[in-house]
Amino acid sequence: MPQGELCNRQPIVTDEQLKLTLSDKSGKKYYAEMLELDVDTNALWATIQKTMKARLKTWLEICAHCGMCADSCFLYQVNDCVPEQVPSYKIQSTLGHIVKKKGQVDNEFMRHCMKVAWSQCTCCNRCGMYCPHGIDMGVMFSYLRGLLYSQGFVPWELKIGSGMHRVYRAQMDVTTEDWVETCEWMAEETEEEWPGLTIPVDKQDAEIMYTCNAREPKHYPEDLAEAAVLFHVAGTNWTVPSEGWEQTSLSMFAGDWECCKDNVNHVYDAIERLNPARVTGTECGHAHRATVIEGPYWAGREDGLPPKPYIHYVEWLAEALREGKLKIDPAKRIKEPVTLQDSCNYVRNQGLKDVTREIISYIVEPGYFVEMAPNKEHNYCCGGGGGFNGIGMYREQRNVALRKKMDQILDTGCKLVIAPCHNCWDAIRDLEEEYEIGIRWSFLKPLIIGMLDIPEGMRVEW
Amino acid sequence: MFKKILLATTGSPASFGAARVAFDMAKRYGSEVTIFHVVGVPTKAFSHVVNDVRTGEEVEIDEEYLAWVEEELKTTFAKQFEGADNAKIVLTTGVPAREILREARKADSDLVVMAASSGENASFHKGYPGSTLQKVAKAARCPVLSVHRESASYWGGFSNILFGTDFSKQAESAFKFALSTARELDCDLTIFHALDISGKVLDQNEIEENLIIARKRIREAYVPLMGDFKNYDIEVWEGTPYVEIVKLAREKSVDLVCLAHHTNELDPERARIGSTVEQVILRANCPVVSVSKPDKV
Ligand code: SF4
Ligand code: SF4
Ligand code: SF4
């Protein structure tokens, strides 16, 4: 059969199509249609010839099948070290095969690739550090996901996710109106306690422009209020854009390359329109990767940089603490064993490992910070990265994947985990739900607000 | 003054008292009641997979499921629906406290009515009941009335209001609300301050002195605001505030306690302990309304 009504090669571009796909319970019809979906083998091969760059080709060729990458992959470790989970095997048996066959593969094989691409790799890029040739499956799988997406072989939730970005320019149905309204609401709710606090929308030439994750205005708007409190206390001249505020990119995980580019351009347009000195986003790893690390390349920016310096929230926070714009009351520092989740997306991908530890040095009483082992760029994915968290079909595999993080946390003996990444936060919450190991988890913002040494008169006590 | 009542409910027996108060008030004062139920807390990326707040199971939200929940609520509250022509059901997904606040703001509700606890303890929504009330009470622009036990729900009109003050800024709003309710519904109003001596070592003279000062403060702060309203009493007792409030409420057969809600504790789990409002809600035999903002009073 050619294309299905829901499962097909076209991206979701209208609200109707989005609602229709959403109303298909658990993607039942979608996956049924996928069984019949034709592979346009010629188009697939043409895409490969056009898009597969020398680096990937070389990687496929030079892999020595030495297996040294095996142990680097947490999915290999938690799945009883089965050969099917060895990174090089995973990619050679999928992308490698498609390339060898010059795209002449069938439906069943494509479905197999989908399963491997979305349930056996979180694109955490850890294996790349251990391969003697620097071969990075995270990068290879991102590429494979793109090929699969273009042929319609993508998990239902991620098809919807990138559809959300195309229709609403946000990973959830938050419209410009909803967003601006949320800013007003949060300012209203917070200003009484913090006199003078505002959430300025579309202010020109601010010191800093703030972007976030659509999950925040949708379900956790207090995160925005907390950001506002910290900017306010630090005396920052800041703003949020009315459009181009959504920094995440589920399209990146879906492999919807065109949409990735559109997303990031939308944010860059906001930067160019408002002309802030710098930009920062919320405590999210993949949003940062999409907008700051990969984004410039999608947007075709020659310098490989966003239009203005774009720092991660942990960098902004560390700077504000370092410069004394935010002061911590030593009596309020954390005095219980606490550990830190290093987000692959900005630690391994951008090297922001020391800056989070600098923050820890201000907010945790000496002697109470316990590192995970391994940590920093060697840390393991939370278990829910790369879209894994959101895919119902692979929930079981995701729950197994959470075990690595569970063991790491248990080994620290800590009951409190700081997770300055939205997705890691979700994964750790799920981990507690699934395995009930008795832990708590937190973003940095609420922790810091609770510890601030607030200048006289800035906060109304109540 | 109670034109629009938002009844936030889980539909569980723990909220029946609250529901009764909301519907009784609606019938008596001709209010519009919205039965507001947050179906579930979204688990992952989008909100179609949620943890059902009642069963704790992961469910997918679709038309069919929503229709089923609506039917359930209608059955649960069938009795109350009789004769309440101005009632409707609104369902949504999200984090309960946030969604209650969102709806109250959107609908410009005059009063939020909710149970003090959902009566459940599943790990997925740990902290849902108490902290939901805490968060709503803190941020809502309108008064929030909560009913902890069925016996505390009200059977007729309000006739006897107890306003407890700690002289904070928020207490001013709570007072205004208590006064206008008393005026409008023709109630007796007791203005009360409990001199907090818990954990302090004070000698009797000092206590007496402080009681006199508090009484004077009440006279100065509140009496001038009452104009021609005469049905009031002033009481000042020493002790642990929530204990004294509950004792006085019982003694005077109070049917509504009105307090200011204020805590700057961010962590609602921690804020609960020691919060006078919370303690009074748990122990009082009548509905307790907490006021934290001056907007709707
Ligand atoms: S370590 Fe590198 S070369 Fe060796 S099998 Fe893995 S990917 Fe191939
Ligand atoms: S990128 Fe991460 S999850 Fe994927 S194969 Fe490598 S180590 Fe495993
Ligand atoms: S969820 Fe966090 S740890 Fe996992 S891949 Fe994403 S950023 Fe990394």
Side-chain angles (χ1 to χ4, degrees), chain B residues 239-260:
Chain B
T240 304
Y242 75 83
V243 177
E244 301 310 313
I245 291 170
V246 173
K247 275 195 334 218
L248 180 61
R250 220 166 266 168
E251 197 179 298
K252 291 206 152 201
S253 309
V254 158
D255 40 36
L256 180 68
V257 173
C258 178
L259 298 170

Side-chain angles (χ1 to χ4, degrees), chain A residues 122 124 285-286 341-345 380-386 421 423-424:
Chain A
T122 62
C124 76
H286 101 261
Q341 162 64 4
D342 282 305
S343 156
C344 314
N345 281 324
Y380 291 106
C381 168
C382 57
C421 163
N423 201 51
C424 302

Side-chain angles (χ1 to χ4, degrees), chain A residues 26 172 181 218 429-430 461, chain B residues 43-45 60 105 264:
Chain A
S26 307
M172 291 177 158
E181 161 88 24
K218 181 82 183 179
R429 179 196 61 186
D430 286 2
E461 292 295 328
Chain B
T43 52
K44 306 294 128 38
E60 249 182 76
R105 184 174 190 265
N264 54 15

Side-chain angles (χ1 to χ4, degrees), chain A residues 22 24-27 156-158 160-161 164 171-172 181-182 184-186 188-189 192-193 215 217-222 250 389-390 395 398 426 429-430 432-433 436 446 449-450 459 461-462, chain B residues 41-49 51 58 60-62 64-65 93-95 98-99 101-102 105 123-124 126 135 137-141 169-170 261-267 292-295:
Chain A
L22 262 170
D24 171 29
K25 198 167 179 167
S26 307
W156 177 67
E157 288 88 349
L158 287 177
I160 295 169
M164 286 278 183
Q171 59 157 309
M172 291 177 158
E181 161 88 24
T182 305
E184 283 166 16
W185 178 24
M186 283 303 112
E188 236 172 57
E189 211 174 82
E192 255 159 306
E193 203 171 339
R215 209 160 154 59
K218 181 82 183 179
H219 295 303
Y220 305 99
E222 52 275 14
L250 283 184
N389 263 348
R395 181 55 43 86
R398 198 284 314 259
D426 278 342
R429 179 196 61 186
D430 286 2
E432 175 59 27
E433 259 174 35
E436 301 195 11
I449 292 177
R459 177 180 193 167
E461 292 295 328
W462 50 308
Chain B
V41 184
T43 52
K44 306 294 128 38
F46 332 105
S47 33
H48 59 249
V49 180
N51 277 323
E58 238 176 48
E60 249 182 76
I61 299 295
D62 58 9
E64 208 182 304
Y65 185 75
T93 56
V95 179
R98 221 358 103 194
E99 297 313 315
L101 288 166
R102 200 191 296 270
R105 184 174 190 265
S123 71
F124 71 89
K126 225 175 237 157
K135 284 183 189 154
K138 178 174 179 186
R141 306 204 79 83
K169 189 168 147 266
Q170 283 74 23
H261 175 92
H262 44 88
T263 169
N264 54 15
E265 179 57 74
L266 274 177
D267 179 349
S292 69
K293 304 266 157 64
D295 306 55

Side-chain angles (χ1 to χ4, degrees), chain A residues 47-118:
Chain A
T47 309
I48 292 173
Q49 284 174 303
K50 216 168 58 208
T51 56
M52 193 155 160
K53 303 264 158 64
R55 180 173 67 159
L56 295 196
K57 276 190 213 150
T58 315
W59 277 353
L60 277 180
E61 278 160 24
I62 64 171
C63 171
H65 306 286
C66 64
M68 284 173 68
C69 52
D71 225 32
S72 66
C73 177
F74 78 112
L75 288 165
Y76 172 79
Q77 294 186 28
V78 294
N79 286 292
D80 304 323
C81 304
V82 293
E84 291 76 24
Q85 289 280 4
V86 175
S88 60
Y89 177 81
K90 287 189 270 199
I91 205 69
Q92 293 289 351
S93 63
T94 52
L95 179 63
H97 187 76
I98 297 177
V99 172
K100 216 180 292 157
K101 287 272 180 180
K102 297 196 182 345
Q104 299 300 312
V105 291
D106 62 9
N107 173 296
E108 199 187 339
F109 187 76
M110 290 295 268
R111 281 185 288 116
H112 163 72
C113 290
M114 175 175 99
K115 186 169 171 216
V116 179
W118 277 284

